[in-house]
């Protein structure tokens, strides 16, 4: 990755419900199980129980995600298997699940010289394939442990890349690639949990549809955009 000039521009995009319409984590687990080991779909009641426990806050994402991965994908994923699954999943989701406004903003930011950074809590091994399919320059995502043979393991390698942790990881990346703090930064996300990342940006865009999102964005001093609107790119570009 190369250094950046003082006039650098960076656009930070969340993944789920921002770049893609549908959340990817559970969808990926179900898709991968159906593709490779349909018998694991018999374990859906156990997955539902895990999800209910998480919804009831009996445990956090750092426990839920490894348990769900182990249940639906097994105790390890070889690099070849991970790469194959990630590439096929990305090809399934891109471009069909990319809202027109997201596609327009990504194209506009790239044309304006912005470096595209995807920042997501999704596992890096498949989120990276989605970022590649969309021609992003870099990604910050949840890391998972690897064994001595390079196999992916269900356990997280560090905290889940969400909220304050995502902002910390983004800040680390910016410290290396943001031209000494002089870059112009745009950030896009559908959720207020990304407020810490928005705080790093010159332009913060809350993505959603309807008055609720507009009011929520205004309460925080953010802009609002609807990525289902193909004209979102021109609206944001006019700011």
């Amino acid at each position: 990755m190369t250094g950046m000039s003082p006039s650098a521009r960076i656009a930070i995009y969340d993944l789920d419900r921002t770049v893609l319409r549908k959340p990817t984590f559970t969808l990926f687990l179900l898709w991968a199980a159906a593709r490779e080991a349909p018998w694991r779909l018999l374990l859906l009641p156990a997955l539902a129980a895990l999800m209910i426990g998480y919804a009831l806050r009996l445990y956090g994402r750092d426990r839920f995600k490894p348990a769900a991965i182990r249940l639906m994908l097994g105790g390890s994923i070889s690099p070849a298997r991970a790469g194959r699954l990630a590439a096929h999943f990305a090809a399934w989701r891109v471009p069909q699940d990319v809202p027109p406004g997201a596609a327009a903003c990504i194209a506009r930011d790239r044309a304006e010289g912005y470096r595209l950074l995807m920042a997501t809590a999704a596992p890096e091994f498949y989120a990276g394939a989605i970022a590649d399919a969309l021609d992003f320059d870099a990604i910050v995502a949840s890391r998972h442990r690897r064994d001595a043979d390079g196999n992916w393991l269900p356990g997280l390698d560090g905290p889940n890349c969400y909220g304050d942790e995502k902002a910390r990881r983004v800040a680390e990346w910016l410290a290396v690639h943001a031209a000494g703090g002089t870059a112009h930064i745009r950030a896009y996300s559908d959720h207020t949990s990304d407020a810490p990342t928005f705080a790093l940006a010159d332009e913060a865009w809350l993505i959603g549809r309807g008055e609720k999102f507009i009011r929520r964005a205004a309460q925080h001093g953010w802009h609002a955009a609807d990525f289902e609107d193909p004209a979102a790119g021109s609206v944001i570009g006019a700011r």
Side-chain angles (χ1 to χ4, degrees):
M1 204 167 288
T2 59
M4 304 187 72
S5 68
S7 59
R9 297 176 173 185
I10 298 169
I12 305 167
Y13 285 81
D14 180 38
L15 174 59
D16 295 346
R17 294 195 176 100
T18 303
V19 168
L20 298 183
R21 292 186 180 94
K22 296 181 179 64
T24 58
F25 181 69
T26 302
L27 181 64
F28 176 78
L29 295 183
L30 296 176
W31 172 87
R35 182 184 180 91
E36 288 202 331
W39 66 267
R40 287 189 180 273
L41 297 179
L42 297 174
L43 302 175
L44 284 179
L47 179 62
L50 282 173
M51 296 173 71
I52 291 170
Y54 169 67
L56 293 175
R57 299 186 179 181
L58 301 179
Y59 37 79
R61 291 176 178 84
D62 289 8
R63 288 184 57 193
F64 165 69
K65 292 172 76 171
I69 290 171
R70 184 178 297 276
L71 187 69
M72 302 308 293
L73 298 182
S76 68
I77 309 171
S78 71
R81 179 186 173 210
R84 182 176 63 252
L85 284 173
H88 289 164
F89 183 70
W92 177 45
R93 304 318 298 158
V94 177
Q96 76 169 34
D97 200 35
V98 180
C105 282
I106 290 168
R108 187 225 47 243
D109 283 344
R110 186 183 297 113
E112 292 181 358
Y114 279 80
R115 192 170 180 84
L116 304 180
L117 172 66
M118 183 177 288
T120 176
E124 63 181 349
F125 73 84
Y126 76 72
I130 294 170
D132 287 344
L134 290 164
D135 199 25
F136 271 62
D137 297 289
I139 183 170
V140 166
S142 293
R143 301 183 179 117
H144 287 260
R145 296 175 183 169
R146 309 284 288 271
D147 66 18
D149 296 320
N151 298 310
W152 294 87
L153 304 177
L156 289 167
D157 183 6
N160 189 49
C161 188
Y162 182 85
D164 288 335
E165 175 63 16
K166 182 193 286 190
R168 187 191 69 79
R169 294 272 308 279
V170 168
E172 286 184 346
W173 188 91
L174 292 174
V176 177
H177 302 287
T182 63
H184 183 87
I185 300 170
R186 285 175 175 161
Y188 308 86
S189 175
D190 72 295
H191 202 272
T192 55
S193 65
D194 278 323
T197 298
F198 279 176
L200 303 173
D202 300 286
E203 298 177 41
W205 291 87
L206 187 66
I207 305 305
R209 169 167 284 192
E211 291 298 320
K212 178 184 73 172
F213 278 90
I214 294 173
R215 290 195 301 270
R216 186 175 298 165
Q219 288 171 357
H220 292 274
W222 304 331
H223 306 297
D226 178 6
F227 271 0
E228 292 298 336
D229 181 358
S234 60
V235 171
I236 293 173
R239 290 278 179 176

